[in-house]
Protein backbone atom coordinates (compact mmCIF):
# COMPACT_ATOMS: atom_id res chain seq x y z
CA UNK A 1 0.00 0.00 0.00
CA UNK A 2 1.39 3.38 -0.96
CA UNK A 3 1.83 6.38 1.32
CA UNK A 4 -1.01 8.10 -0.54
CA UNK A 5 -3.27 5.11 0.16
CA UNK A 6 -2.36 5.27 3.86
CA UNK A 7 -3.09 9.00 3.96
CA UNK A 8 -6.41 8.45 2.22
CA UNK A 9 -7.34 5.77 4.79
CA UNK A 10 -6.32 8.12 7.61
CA UNK A 11 -8.53 10.88 6.19
CA UNK A 12 -11.39 8.40 5.69
CA UNK A 13 -10.98 7.19 9.29
CA UNK A 14 -11.19 10.78 10.52
CA UNK A 15 -14.38 11.33 8.53
CA UNK A 16 -15.96 7.97 9.32
CA UNK A 17 -16.04 5.49 12.16
CA UNK A 18 -13.95 6.76 15.07
CA UNK A 19 -13.61 3.17 16.34
CA UNK A 20 -11.69 2.33 13.18
CA UNK A 21 -8.03 2.29 14.28
CA UNK A 22 -5.19 1.06 12.10
CA UNK A 23 -1.70 1.19 13.57
CA UNK A 24 -0.10 1.66 10.16
CA UNK A 25 -2.07 4.90 9.76
CA UNK A 26 -0.84 6.49 12.99
CA UNK A 27 1.67 9.33 12.95
CA UNK A 28 3.99 7.73 15.51
CA UNK A 29 4.14 4.47 13.60
CA UNK A 30 4.80 6.21 10.29
CA UNK A 31 7.45 8.48 11.84
CA UNK A 32 9.16 5.46 13.42
CA UNK A 33 9.29 3.63 10.10
CA UNK A 34 10.68 6.73 8.37
CA UNK A 35 13.25 7.11 11.16
CA UNK A 36 14.28 3.45 10.85
CA UNK A 37 14.78 3.92 7.11
CA UNK A 38 16.86 7.04 7.69
CA UNK A 39 19.00 5.34 10.35
CA UNK A 40 19.64 2.40 8.01
CA UNK A 41 20.76 4.81 5.27
CA UNK A 42 22.92 6.66 7.81
CA UNK A 43 24.57 3.41 8.98
CA UNK A 44 25.31 2.39 5.40
CA UNK A 45 27.18 5.67 4.77
CA UNK A 46 28.60 6.51 8.22
CA UNK A 47 29.09 3.23 10.01
CA UNK A 48 31.66 4.28 12.57
CA UNK A 49 29.50 6.91 14.35
CA UNK A 50 25.98 6.86 15.70
CA UNK A 51 23.57 9.61 14.63
CA UNK A 52 23.81 11.25 18.10
CA UNK A 53 27.63 11.22 17.90
CA UNK A 54 27.48 12.74 14.44
CA UNK A 55 25.01 15.39 15.69
CA UNK A 56 27.38 16.36 18.50
CA UNK A 57 30.34 16.70 16.12
CA UNK A 58 28.30 18.61 13.54
CA UNK A 59 26.97 21.08 16.12
CA UNK A 60 30.45 21.62 17.61
CA UNK A 61 31.68 22.25 14.07
CA UNK A 62 28.92 24.87 13.65
CA UNK A 63 29.31 26.73 16.94
CA UNK A 64 32.72 25.87 18.36
CA UNK A 65 33.39 25.25 22.03
CA UNK A 66 30.32 25.11 24.26
CA UNK A 67 29.25 23.61 27.54
CA UNK A 68 28.24 19.98 27.59
CA UNK A 69 24.75 20.93 28.82
CA UNK A 70 24.30 23.57 26.12
CA UNK A 71 25.41 21.07 23.47
CA UNK A 72 22.81 18.62 24.75
CA UNK A 73 20.12 21.28 24.50
CA UNK A 74 21.16 22.22 20.97
CA UNK A 75 21.04 18.63 19.72
CA UNK A 76 17.92 17.63 21.70
CA UNK A 77 19.58 15.28 24.20
CA UNK A 78 19.17 15.06 27.93
CA UNK A 79 22.21 15.55 30.19
CA UNK A 80 22.87 11.84 30.77
CA UNK A 81 22.67 10.97 27.08
CA UNK A 82 24.93 13.80 25.91
CA UNK A 83 27.46 12.88 28.63
CA UNK A 84 27.65 9.33 27.25
CA UNK A 85 27.99 10.60 23.70
CA UNK A 86 30.77 13.02 24.70
CA UNK A 87 32.57 10.34 26.72
CA UNK A 88 32.63 8.03 23.69
CA UNK A 89 33.78 10.81 21.34
CA UNK A 90 36.48 11.80 23.83
CA UNK A 91 37.69 8.18 24.06
CA UNK A 92 38.08 8.21 20.27
CA UNK A 93 40.04 11.47 20.36
CA UNK A 94 37.38 13.45 18.47
CA UNK A 95 36.51 15.92 21.23
CA UNK A 96 38.25 17.38 24.24
CA UNK A 97 36.62 18.31 27.52
CA UNK A 98 37.86 20.99 29.90
CA UNK A 99 36.55 22.79 32.96
CA UNK A 100 35.30 26.35 32.69
CA UNK A 101 37.83 28.83 34.10
CA UNK A 102 35.35 30.45 36.50
CA UNK A 103 32.67 27.79 37.09
CA UNK A 104 34.65 24.57 37.63
CA UNK A 105 31.44 22.50 37.60
CA UNK A 106 30.80 23.49 33.99
CA UNK A 107 32.36 21.22 31.37
CA UNK A 108 33.33 22.69 28.02
CA UNK A 109 33.47 20.54 24.89
CA UNK A 110 35.40 21.27 21.72
CA UNK A 111 36.50 19.41 18.63
CA UNK A 112 40.05 18.11 18.50
CA UNK A 113 41.93 18.49 15.20
CA UNK A 114 41.01 14.84 14.52
CA UNK A 115 37.37 15.58 15.28
CA UNK A 116 37.36 18.60 12.98
CA UNK A 117 38.91 16.55 10.16
CA UNK A 118 36.39 13.74 10.72
CA UNK A 119 33.32 15.97 10.63
CA UNK A 120 34.56 17.88 7.59
CA UNK A 121 35.00 14.54 5.82
CA UNK A 122 31.55 13.35 6.93
CA UNK A 123 29.43 16.42 6.12
CA UNK A 124 29.27 15.60 2.37
CA UNK A 125 28.15 12.06 3.28
CA UNK A 126 25.48 13.53 5.57
CA UNK A 127 24.14 15.58 2.67
CA UNK A 128 23.97 12.39 0.58
CA UNK A 129 22.12 10.65 3.43
CA UNK A 130 19.54 13.44 3.53
CA UNK A 131 19.11 13.26 -0.24
CA UNK A 132 18.69 9.49 -0.16
CA UNK A 133 16.23 9.67 2.73
CA UNK A 134 14.12 12.21 0.83
CA UNK A 135 14.57 10.54 -2.59
CA UNK A 136 11.00 9.17 -2.81
CA UNK A 137 9.72 12.76 -2.68
CA UNK A 138 9.83 15.47 -5.30
CA UNK A 139 11.82 18.58 -4.40
CA UNK A 140 8.59 20.43 -3.62
CA UNK A 141 7.28 17.56 -1.50
CA UNK A 142 10.58 17.35 0.37
CA UNK A 143 10.50 21.07 1.17
CA UNK A 144 6.90 20.80 2.38
CA UNK A 145 7.67 17.67 4.39
CA UNK A 146 10.63 19.31 6.16
CA UNK A 147 8.63 22.46 6.83
CA UNK A 148 5.77 20.44 8.35
CA UNK A 149 8.09 18.23 10.40
CA UNK A 150 9.75 21.34 11.82
CA UNK A 151 6.32 22.48 13.02
CA UNK A 152 5.98 19.22 14.95
CA UNK A 153 9.43 19.38 16.50
Amino acid sequence: MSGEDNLLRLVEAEDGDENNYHLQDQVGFILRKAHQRHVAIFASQIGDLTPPQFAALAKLHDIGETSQNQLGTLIAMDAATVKGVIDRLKARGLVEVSKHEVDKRRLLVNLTPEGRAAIERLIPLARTITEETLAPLTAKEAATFLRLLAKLA
Side-chain angles (χ1 to χ4, degrees), residues 14-15 21 41 49-50 56-59 77 85 88 95-96 145:
E14 287 176 356
D15 293 337
Y21 181 94
I41 294 166
L49 289 174
T50 65
L57 293 176
K59 186 51 72 176
M77 282 183 215
V85 167
R88 286 184 285 286
V95 300
E96 56 192 7
F145 174 70

Side-chain angles (χ1 to χ4, degrees), residues 3-140:
E4 287 178 13
D5 291 336
N6 281 340
L7 185 57
L8 180 59
R9 283 196 8 216
L10 179 60
V11 170
E12 288 171 352
E14 287 176 356
D15 293 337
D17 182 5
E18 54 202 41
N19 295 322
N20 195 8
Y21 181 94
H22 298 282
L23 176 65
Q24 67 274 13
D25 298 333
Q26 305 309 307
V27 66
F29 183 78
I30 296 166
L31 285 172
R32 186 171 62 80
K33 285 181 61 178
H35 180 258
Q36 288 172 333
R37 180 174 174 275
H38 174 74
V39 168
I41 294 166
F42 182 96
S44 74
Q45 297 287 325
I46 302 177
D48 60 336
L49 289 174
T50 65
Q53 290 170 343
F54 175 84
L57 293 176
K59 186 51 72 176
L60 286 170
H61 184 262
D62 287 347
I63 65 169
E65 184 177 66
T66 191
S67 74
Q68 184 171 292
N69 285 342
Q70 178 66 17
L71 179 62
T73 299
L74 293 170
I75 59 175
M77 282 183 215
D78 61 68
T81 303
V82 78
K83 181 188 182 320
V85 167
I86 296 304
D87 287 348
R88 286 184 285 286
L89 292 172
K90 182 181 175 191
R92 293 181 59 183
L94 299 175
V95 300
E96 56 192 7
V97 177
S98 61
K99 292 191 186 271
H100 190 273
E101 288 181 20
V102 177
D103 183 354
K104 300 297 183 194
R105 298 170 298 167
R106 190 170 168 196
L107 294 178
L108 299 175
V109 184
N110 205 359
L111 292 173
T112 62
E114 295 83 6
R116 182 164 305 285
I119 194 61
E120 288 174 356
R121 176 181 53 80
L122 294 171
I123 286 172
L125 291 174
R127 286 188 185 106
T128 300
I129 292 164
T130 295
E131 290 169 6
E132 190 172 337
T133 299
L134 296 173
L137 306 175
T138 66
K140 186 175 179 180

